[in-house]
Amino acid sequence: MIPAPCKLALCPHCGDKTEIVQIASGNTFGAWLWSDSKQIAPMLPQVSPVQKCPTCGHYFFIKEARFIEGDTYSDEEGWLSFDEAIEAFDELMTDDRRHIEEWKAWSWYDDDKDDEESEAFKTWLQNNKQKDLELLTIIIAWAFNDMIRNGKEPSQEQYDVFKTTVSSNLKQPILSNNQLLRGELYREIGEFDECLAILGKFNPEDEFLADIRKRIMDKAQEQDDKVFVIIKGRD
């Protein structure tokens, strides 16, 4: 891996700067792959899609931030703790202002009309919130499983919040293009029959995906809800 000076993400709420790791080149040598699809590669840092501003404490999607180049090096990826991930979910899923601002920036928006009541806007907003929901569900799962990956046992309260939140989110049509992960998340919240039903209909031709499917189904049949290693890399 060849490091590069960090990027500075500008918080959309207060304008302060958050350091973000940046590299000139990297690779996946020694990478770990887990059953929740998270890859941890020592030589290829992965930046969290959602960041917490260290100044105002608000959360924002990294894709929606403006950046300037920093002049120092940083290894900050910005991954959230589980409790922070739940806070981010609550904040970002209840604030439609950023979507409305994006809609207004488009060329066909007409300030003289009640455009936010149009069917086109409502459909567009629903589709974008669905994408947000999918991403935030994955971030919540990764943050919960990071505790296990780091040798920490989640509290019963944290498990209950994880199970309730993910179960509610999975009732929406998210991860329709990733049935493997959808089934895995059902396993991780203890809904083993639903996991087996989903993966029973998923028959990938790819041998690697087929092997992961079998291993997840085996865990579900054993009523094991813990995330597990698919590929063991190096620390």
Side-chain angles (χ1 to χ4, degrees):
M1 179 180 72
I2 302 176
C6 69
K7 296 186 294 183
L8 299 174
L10 304 182
C11 173
H13 301 278
C14 71
D16 208 354
K17 305 176 185 68
T18 300
E19 288 188 352
I20 302 293
V21 64
Q22 187 168 230
I23 61 173
S25 67
N27 59 69
T28 58
F29 294 149
W32 292 68
L33 179 64
W34 294 76
S35 58
D36 62 355
S37 80
K38 186 169 186 180
Q39 176 181 270
I40 302 174
M43 304 297 287
L44 189 65
Q46 186 176 3
V47 174
S48 172
V50 173
Q51 298 285 320
K52 180 178 182 178
C53 176
T55 302
C56 70
H58 282 291
Y59 298 91
F60 59 92
F61 287 100
I62 195 78
K63 64 183 180 181
E64 296 174 353
R66 293 190 301 114
F67 291 92
I68 58 176
E69 292 298 324
D71 55 9
T72 61
Y73 292 86
S74 173
D75 59 1
E76 184 58 60
E77 300 175 15
W79 289 104
L80 307 179
S81 69
F82 175 70
D83 294 338
E84 288 173 335
I86 294 297
E87 288 180 353
F89 173 78
D90 291 340
E91 177 179 336
L92 294 171
M93 288 305 298
T94 55
D95 183 4
D96 292 340
R97 287 174 299 175
R98 56 194 179 80
H99 290 307
I100 294 172
E101 290 171 2
E102 183 180 356
W103 176 265
K104 288 182 177 181
W106 289 0
S107 59
W108 59 77
Y109 182 82
D110 188 345
D111 286 324
D112 296 329
K113 296 180 181 179
D114 196 10
D115 210 43
E116 291 162 31
E117 294 302 316
S118 70
E119 288 303 315
F121 172 76
K122 290 178 181 178
T123 300
W124 179 86
L125 178 62
Q126 181 180 8
N127 290 340
N128 278 273
K129 287 178 73 71
Q130 202 73 30
K131 293 176 183 176
D132 290 349
L133 181 65
E134 179 169 304
L135 179 57
L136 287 165
T137 301
I138 294 172
I139 288 174
I140 287 170
W142 285 1
F144 181 83
N145 290 330
D146 282 345
M147 289 188 282
I148 298 170
R149 281 185 266 265
N150 294 326
K152 179 181 177 182
E153 186 68 24
S155 69
Q156 185 61 50
E157 180 182 0
Q158 288 173 320
Y159 178 74
D160 290 344
V161 171
F162 172 64
K163 182 175 180 178
T164 301
T165 305
V166 173
S167 179
S168 175
N169 293 356
L170 288 174
K171 288 181 171 62
Q172 304 298 317
I174 62 172
L175 297 170
S176 57
N177 294 324
N178 192 341
Q179 293 298 299
L180 193 62
L181 181 55
R182 186 174 172 84
E184 167 64 4
L185 291 182
Y186 270 114
R187 184 188 70 84
E188 291 181 8
I189 61 173
E191 297 189 26
F192 303 114
D193 289 343
E194 188 64 25
C195 167
L196 292 170
I198 290 171
L199 296 187
K201 300 175 183 176
F202 177 63
N203 296 295
E205 295 182 2
D206 183 89
E207 292 184 5
F208 181 63
L209 294 180
D211 178 64
I212 296 175
R213 168 186 174 272
K214 180 181 183 304
R215 292 171 68 179
I216 292 174
M217 293 182 74
D218 288 346
K219 294 282 188 181
Q221 288 168 344
E222 297 167 2
Q223 299 197 340
D224 182 346
D225 61 5
K226 293 291 190 296
V227 68
F228 63 92
V229 175
I230 299 294
I231 297 177
K232 186 175 182 179
R234 60 178 177 81
D235 296 321

